[in-house]
Amino acid sequence: MKRILILMIIVLTIVAGYKIVHIKDTNNFQEGKTKKILEKQEKKEFDNPEYLEEKKLNDMIDDLFLEEKLGQMIIVGFNGYEVNPDFRKLIEDYKIGGVILFERNIQNSKQLLNLNNSIKSINSKNKLPLFITVDEEGGRIERLPKGSTKFPSNKVIGRVNDEKISYEIGKVIGTELKAFGFNMNLAPILDIYSNPKNKVIGNRSFGTEPKIVSTLGTATMKGLQDANVISVVKHFPGHGDTNVDSHIGLPVVNYDKQRLDNFELIPFKNAVDKGADAVMTAHIVLPKIDINKKPATLSKKVLTDILRNEWKFNGVIITDDMEMDAIANNYSIKNAAVEAVKAGADVVLVCHTLEKQIEVLQELKKEVNCGQLSMKRIDESVKRIIKLKEKYGLNNAVNKEEELKVVGNQKHKEILNKLYK
């Protein structure tokens, strides 16, 4: 009996030992298997261009201080043919994301080239390049100096109604802008000229029908993009059927969503579907869309619900100038800027006054610090901005004078002549 008991103990010990060794071996096998899977996944991720691009963007965002992030969210204007101390301060101290030039900044070809080169040189110490932007629509809204190719209004182009010519015009404009050092154009207009009393749009529109505006506007956008210039389509959700100029008042459009979908929004939806990189907002009230009667620029119903969520647009949303009377006469500009960001805008345009530009940046910082604007929301916009700058290869390299040879050349004039055949 005693021998049997000893034998049983020996057998149980052997079995227990086997189980322990077996479990240990199994655990080692599972750990090794898991490690190999993780290594394989990691290798797969690092071989994936989308993963690498996302990681690069996130690293760039993590490298920015709050002030630098907020600076990226504003495009400013200034006075003069040269960089003045106020504008230099905005670049050096506030790390602004971009600049817009107007007629007040442009004297002649050499001066414009030198101005854009000096802007880039001053910005070269900052972490990110600038949007250097302009309104070059053709017709009565043109900024480029004498000697550049001067196209007629979009109304004239709309009468010709040739998609290929519209594309070529966009590419010519983009090519000449690029030669001067611009990388962004606030064009084309996608507003439908459906109200004869509308003087602010008028002949800036391609026409009175959605199809013409949609087709020609998107073709022009594509031409600009293929010249490696960012096209900002405007004025979303449509400024065509207003009789008030938003530079001096606040227009109201009393249409419901169904009407907008079937008319005003058609050109914008087409542009988004065909790869629009950026959209500019209109300072117009749509009371049947936003019962709070906020201008589209400040309306989450318009910018986030329609443009972001319904249309899945993940490009950059830029406001029209916040110093226009449609905003300035009805809101504090700094508060309106915050509302625009909360509504879904990524970049706020403040074109004139240094004090207003600084107030906007300070108010955004204040809202972040007190928790009214989350860092997540700020990072969303900054990510879109950096992504767009990376896509177009923006940098601080200066342009050479010889690059201006393309401006107003015979090839470009031939495209202009096609409009009058």
Side-chain angles (χ1 to χ4, degrees):
M1 186 69 183
K2 189 174 180 181
R3 286 180 180 179
I4 292 170
L5 185 60
I6 292 170
L7 187 61
M8 287 177 67
I9 291 169
I10 292 170
V11 170
L12 289 172
T13 302
I14 292 170
V15 170
Y18 170 78
K19 285 184 176 180
I20 291 168
V21 171
H22 179 70
I23 290 168
K24 187 175 180 181
D25 288 344
T26 301
N27 287 344
N28 287 339
F29 174 75
Q30 291 296 336
E31 286 175 9
K33 186 177 179 182
T34 301
K35 187 177 180 181
K36 285 180 180 179
I37 290 171
L38 290 173
E39 287 174 351
K40 191 174 181 181
Q41 286 177 343
E42 191 173 295
K43 186 177 184 302
K44 187 177 180 182
E45 286 174 342
F46 277 96
D47 287 341
N48 184 343
E50 290 182 7
Y51 170 81
L52 292 173
E53 179 65 21
E54 190 73 9
K55 185 177 185 303
K56 179 183 177 182
L57 287 171
N58 290 333
D59 288 345
M60 292 174 78
I61 292 168
D62 290 343
D63 189 45
L64 297 175
F65 297 111
L66 173 60
E67 293 79 4
E68 292 172 313
K69 292 178 180 182
L70 297 178
Q72 286 301 301
M73 296 174 68
I74 187 171
I75 290 176
V76 305
F78 68 98
N79 291 321
Y81 297 134
E82 298 177 351
V83 173
N84 62 34
D86 289 347
F87 179 53
R88 180 184 282 271
K89 179 183 179 69
L90 288 167
I91 296 176
E92 293 179 341
D93 296 348
Y94 291 91
K95 319 297 183 186
I96 54 165
V99 59
I100 180 169
L101 300 189
F102 292 96
E103 188 177 356
R104 68 192 184 205
N105 304 115
I106 299 170
Q107 191 175 32
N108 56 56
S109 292
K110 188 173 181 180
Q111 171 270 331
L112 176 58
L113 181 69
N114 290 338
L115 174 58
N116 281 341
N117 281 342
S118 64
I119 289 170
K120 287 190 275 189
S121 295
I122 293 167
N123 187 69
S124 61
K125 295 179 182 178
N126 290 335
K127 294 173 185 175
L128 293 168
L130 292 164
F131 290 129
I132 302 182
T133 190
V134 70
D135 294 284
E136 187 67 22
E137 300 173 15
R140 59 189 162 105
I141 308 296
E142 60 179 22
R143 313 296 187 205
L144 290 185
K146 185 178 178 181
S148 58
T149 307
K150 300 295 183 182
F151 289 102
S153 68
N154 287 331
K155 182 180 180 180
V156 173
I157 297 168
R159 284 174 181 163
V160 175
N161 194 17
D162 187 313
E163 185 176 357
K164 185 179 178 183
I165 292 177
S166 289
Y167 168 83
E168 290 176 334
I169 289 170
K171 194 164 185 181
V172 167
I173 292 172
T175 300
E176 297 195 5
L177 287 173
K178 195 77 179 171
F180 283 108
F182 290 104
N183 51 44
M184 177 180 275
N185 189 15
L186 304 183
I189 286 266
L190 296 185
D191 305 301
I192 304 166
Y193 183 40
S194 55
N195 186 342
K197 296 179 181 179
N198 188 337
K199 302 304 180 186
V200 67
I201 299 301
N203 64 1
R204 295 167 69 192
S205 173
F206 287 100
T208 60
E209 297 298 326
K211 186 176 180 181
I212 289 176
V213 175
S214 185
T215 301
L216 302 186
T218 301
T220 303
M221 175 191 82
K222 284 291 184 184
L224 285 163
Q225 291 174 337
D226 286 351
N228 202 39
V229 168
I230 301 163
S231 168
V232 183
V233 298
K234 62 186 183 183
H235 305 84
F236 178 81
H239 208 310
D241 195 3
T242 61
N243 56 17
V244 174
D245 182 347
S246 53
H247 291 86
I248 58 176
L250 184 57
V252 177
V253 176
N254 278 301
Y255 291 133
D256 61 17
K257 183 65 161 50
Q258 184 177 1
R259 151 71 192 217
L260 294 172
D261 283 338
N262 292 320
F263 198 81
E264 278 82 5
L265 291 176
I266 288 175
F268 294 98
K269 181 65 164 63
N270 185 52
V272 167
D273 289 344
K274 293 191 175 179
D277 292 299
V279 174
M280 174 176 276
T281 67
H283 302 325
I284 59 173
V285 174
L286 301 164
K288 291 186 179 177
I289 303 298
D290 190 332
I291 59 173
N292 295 318
K293 298 183 180 180
K294 290 185 177 181
T297 296
L298 314 183
S299 174
K300 193 171 184 180
K301 293 281 185 183
V302 176
L303 302 189
T304 296
D305 292 356
I306 296 175
L307 191 51
R308 292 280 188 225
N309 296 339
E310 185 180 335
W311 292 3
K312 309 302 179 188
F313 177 68
N314 198 36
V316 172
I317 298 176
I318 301 175
T319 74
D320 208 341
D321 182 15
M322 301 299 277
E323 293 194 70
M324 290 163 62
D325 285 348
I327 298 296
N329 287 350
N330 296 282
Y331 299 88
S332 156
I333 290 174
K334 63 180 183 180
N335 292 336
V338 171
E339 289 302 308
V341 172
K342 288 180 178 179
D346 302 302
V347 175
V348 177
L349 199 60
V350 190
C351 295
H352 300 280
T353 314
L354 175 67
E355 291 76 15
K356 300 295 182 187
Q357 292 158 352
I358 293 175
E359 281 178 7
V360 164
L361 290 166
Q362 290 175 338
E363 190 67 17
L364 286 168
K365 183 178 179 181
K366 175 185 169 186
E367 291 292 300
V368 172
N369 287 336
C370 71
Q372 294 302 306
L373 261 177
S374 69
M375 279 304 304
K376 180 183 177 184
R377 173 67 195 87
I378 298 300
D379 285 350
E380 285 172 358
S381 287
V382 175
K383 189 172 190 176
R384 293 188 192 105
I385 293 163
I386 295 176
K387 191 173 183 179
L388 185 56
K389 290 183 175 184
E390 288 282 299
K391 178 179 178 179
Y392 282 83
L394 269 58
N395 57 60
N396 293 308
V398 298
N399 285 49
K400 296 177 181 177
E401 195 167 344
E402 64 189 43
E403 294 179 57
L404 297 182
K405 289 178 181 178
V406 73
V407 176
N409 67 16
Q410 187 58 38
K411 184 180 177 182
H412 290 179
K413 288 177 182 174
E414 288 171 5
I415 293 167
L416 174 61
N417 292 337
K418 289 180 182 180
L419 291 171
Y420 301 104
K421 284 183 178 181

